[in-house]
């Protein structure tokens, strides 16, 4: 293996095994004469092309973290303030057809896009508004298309249908289109 001293008491070691496994280890040296290094594996690249960062037996192309209980992991994608950070899900091919799915963050206006089948399917804007098939959501949930709920829909406020409003006040249900009201009492 190759060893490199980084600082007075920090060092790194790179090894390449006969089987094609590449290891990167970092460590510290003690004050003995000569100094003795103690190394901890940080990264491994297997002969099968699987990369483990903080994990020594990767079973996928990229494994980050050890899975140690209570140990948080993260991956940062840095971009400029007027740029994008993106994660692409790619099919075999060239051009736009290779980018079938995308998760991307726009640092200029702080919104996040989710693409499926090469088209934007959902957006979360900087105010936390979610648009489904809507790139300019005006509400906490803005859906451009037909929606379906298979469970209960609970409302704590009015229900709007275009210009019609169902005003839920006490046990009275009021239908209001801005001109005329229709009231009915609900027994409960």
């Amino acid at each position: 293996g190759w060893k490199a001293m980084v600082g007075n008491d920090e060092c790194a070691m790179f090894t390449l095994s006969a089987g094609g496994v590449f290891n990167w280890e970092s460590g510290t040296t003690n004050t003995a004469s000569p100094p003795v290094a103690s190394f901890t594996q940080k990264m491994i690249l297997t002969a099968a092309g699987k990369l483990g960062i903080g994990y020594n037996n990767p079973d996928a192309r990229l494994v980050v973290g050890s899975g140690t209980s209570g140990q948080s992991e993260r991956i940062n994608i840095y971009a400029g303030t007027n740029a994008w950070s993106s994660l692409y899900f790619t099919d075999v091919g060239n051009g736009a057809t290779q980018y079938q799915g995308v998760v991307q963050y726009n640092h200029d206006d702080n919104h996040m896009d989710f693409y499926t089948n090469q088209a934007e399917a959902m957006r979360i804007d900087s105010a936390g508004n979610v648009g489904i098939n809507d790139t300019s959501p005006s509400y906490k949930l803005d859906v451009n298309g037909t929606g379906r709920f298979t469970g209960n829909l609970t409302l704590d406020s009015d229900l709007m249908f275009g210009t019609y409003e169902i005003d839920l006040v006490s046990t009275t249900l009021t239908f209001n289109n801005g001109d005329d009201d229709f009231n009915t009492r609900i027994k409960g």
Side-chain angles (χ1 to χ4, degrees), residues 129-181:
N129 295 333
V130 176
I132 298 176
N133 287 330
D134 186 340
T135 59
S136 300
S138 300
Y139 302 95
K140 289 300 172 191
L141 179 60
D142 214 334
V143 179
N144 182 4
T146 303
R148 179 176 182 221
F149 296 90
T150 58
N152 294 334
L153 177 61
T154 303
L155 301 173
D156 292 330
S157 187
D158 298 341
L159 181 62
M160 305 293 292
F161 298 95
T163 61
Y164 291 91
E165 172 185 3
I166 297 178
D167 186 6
L168 305 171
V169 179
S170 185
T171 57
T172 302
L173 192 57
T174 302
F175 295 89
N176 179 355
N177 70 355
D179 296 325
D180 299 312
D181 288 347

Side-chain angles (χ1 to χ4, degrees), residues 12-142:
M13 180 170 61
F14 306 96
T15 59
L16 180 61
S17 72
V21 175
F22 178 79
N23 278 292
W24 177 67
E25 299 178 29
S26 69
T28 58
T29 58
N30 61 20
T31 58
S33 183
V36 177
S38 174
F39 292 97
T40 303
Q41 185 180 54
K42 299 297 182 185
M43 181 174 66
I44 185 171
L45 178 61
T46 69
K50 296 176 181 179
L51 178 63
I53 301 174
Y55 188 71
N56 64 2
N57 191 21
D59 56 358
R61 291 271 182 204
L62 175 62
V63 178
V64 178
S66 63
T68 302
S69 178
Q71 182 175 332
S72 300
E73 305 290 353
R74 72 179 191 196
I75 298 174
N76 290 343
I77 302 174
Y78 289 105
T81 56
N82 59 350
W84 295 83
S85 294
S86 305
L87 179 62
Y88 288 86
F89 301 90
T90 306
D91 287 350
V92 176
N94 296 324
T97 60
Q98 68 182 353
Y99 304 116
Q100 296 297 316
V102 179
V103 176
Q104 62 185 10
Y105 188 84
N106 181 319
H107 296 272
D108 190 37
D109 68 1
N110 296 308
H111 79 268
M112 182 172 276
D113 299 332
F114 299 84
Y115 280 67
T116 60
N117 199 24
Q118 302 179 40
E120 185 175 330
M122 185 174 76
R123 176 177 293 205
I124 303 172
D125 70 13
S126 62
N129 295 333
V130 176
I132 298 176
N133 287 330
D134 186 340
T135 59
S136 300
S138 300
Y139 302 95
K140 289 300 172 191
L141 179 60
D142 214 334

